[in-house]
Amino acid sequence: FFFESPHFELTIVDTNEKLKMKNISHSTFYQAAEISDDTKIVFRIKLQQEPAKEKELTKDQKLMVNAVNEVVLSRVRFKALEEILEEKGLIKGDELFDKIEKVAKRDFDTLKKELL
């Protein structure tokens, strides 16, 4: 019944310990031209622990992950834009950061309210 039912009990002969097991995957193959009821076979089983399932995130955790991803993506976009402007010689040194500081003083609270 090993290949028919996923649940079985394994007894370790040396210790007489019984383990309840679940067959989550298996494969079979043979290398003889013919197998009959009288064919002698070697049966090997490799046991390994089932991989742990990832814990499902709560709604709040998903929102936090999405928010962090958006912040990172915004920083990547900003960095790319900054590099392009510098490479083309359109901005120099702290020119961009000076402008950011001015706009932040002027518009930060308004933009924050729009997002929240």
Side-chain angles (χ1 to χ4, degrees):
F1 296 109
F2 181 74
F3 298 110
E4 294 176 13
S5 172
H7 301 282
F8 62 97
E9 188 175 275
L10 174 73
T11 302
I12 300 175
V13 178
D14 295 342
T15 63
N16 206 29
E17 184 179 4
K18 296 187 184 295
L19 303 171
K20 293 192 184 281
M21 310 293 281
K22 180 180 178 186
N23 181 3
I24 58 172
S25 70
H26 69 271
S27 63
T28 58
F29 70 95
Y30 66 93
Q31 294 177 322
E34 184 178 314
I35 291 182
S36 69
D37 289 340
D38 298 325
T39 304
K40 294 184 180 184
I41 62 167
V42 175
F43 190 71
R44 292 187 178 107
I45 299 175
K46 178 182 176 184
L47 301 176
Q48 63 187 49
Q49 188 171 356
E50 183 176 7
K53 293 180 182 173
E54 287 190 27
K55 182 181 161 189
E56 182 71 26
L57 297 177
T58 66
K59 184 178 180 182
D60 289 342
Q61 289 170 325
K62 288 178 184 176
L63 287 172
M64 182 59 73
V65 167
N66 288 341
V68 168
N69 288 340
E70 283 298 319
V71 169
V72 171
L73 187 56
S74 292
R75 292 194 64 182
V76 167
R77 288 178 179 145
F78 176 82
K79 187 69 175 159
L81 181 59
E82 175 190 14
E83 289 178 11
I84 288 172
L85 293 173
E86 285 179 350
E87 288 169 5
K88 292 184 179 242
L90 298 173
I91 60 171
K92 296 176 188 164
D94 291 333
E95 193 176 0
L96 179 61
F97 294 103
D98 291 342
K99 185 65 172 182
I100 289 171
E101 190 175 327
K102 288 178 186 174
V103 172
K105 285 179 183 176
R106 183 188 71 210
D107 296 340
F108 185 83
D109 290 333
T110 303
L111 295 172
K112 183 178 174 182
K113 286 177 186 174
E114 285 178 13
L115 288 173
L116 297 175

